[in-house]
Amino acid sequence: MTSARQGRAHIDPASDGISFIQVWDMPSERDVDGWLSTMHKRIHVLTGRPGFRSMSLHRGLDGTHAAVYAQWDSLHHLEAGRAGQLARDGHAALAQWGQDVGYACLLDSVY
């Protein structure tokens, strides 16, 4: 598996883990830059959690979106990783730049 520090998640269809996708809306490209910088500074909060596998961050081609693609061992690990105070504080810091669209997509590899 590729490490998060390299910024690339590896999709393995044989994996028994889950994938998490989250999209954020931002007013401007400057806000996307600020969001990405903030996420980069705080990513260690998630990468050190049990069950974390990999994460990559993506800039929207329209300049007003960013997305998180992450892989975890299980839904239980994802929920536990996002439940801590440091993770909630990180989410609040990201929200200064834009808005979490209010949903996240959880996926299981099938092919």
Side-chain angles (χ1 to χ4, degrees), residues 23-100:
V23 178
W24 287 71
D25 290 329
M26 260 76 63
S28 71
E29 192 167 344
R30 182 187 80 67
D31 294 300
V32 173
D33 291 340
W35 185 94
L36 288 167
S37 176
T38 301
M39 184 63 162
H40 187 268
K41 290 175 189 170
R42 294 177 173 266
I43 202 166
H44 69 279
V45 172
L46 297 174
T47 61
R49 300 293 297 191
F52 176 83
R53 291 186 180 183
S54 63
M55 179 182 292
S56 59
L57 306 176
H58 304 267
R59 176 189 303 272
L61 296 177
D62 64 0
T64 63
H65 292 91
V68 176
Y69 175 82
Q71 292 182 311
W72 292 79
D73 286 346
S74 69
L75 180 58
H76 167 78
H77 286 105
L78 168 64
E79 289 173 343
R82 295 182 72 211
Q85 186 62 48
L86 289 175
R88 290 193 304 273
D89 291 348
H91 192 274
L94 293 169
Q96 75 176 324
W97 300 106
Q99 181 178 9
D100 178 348

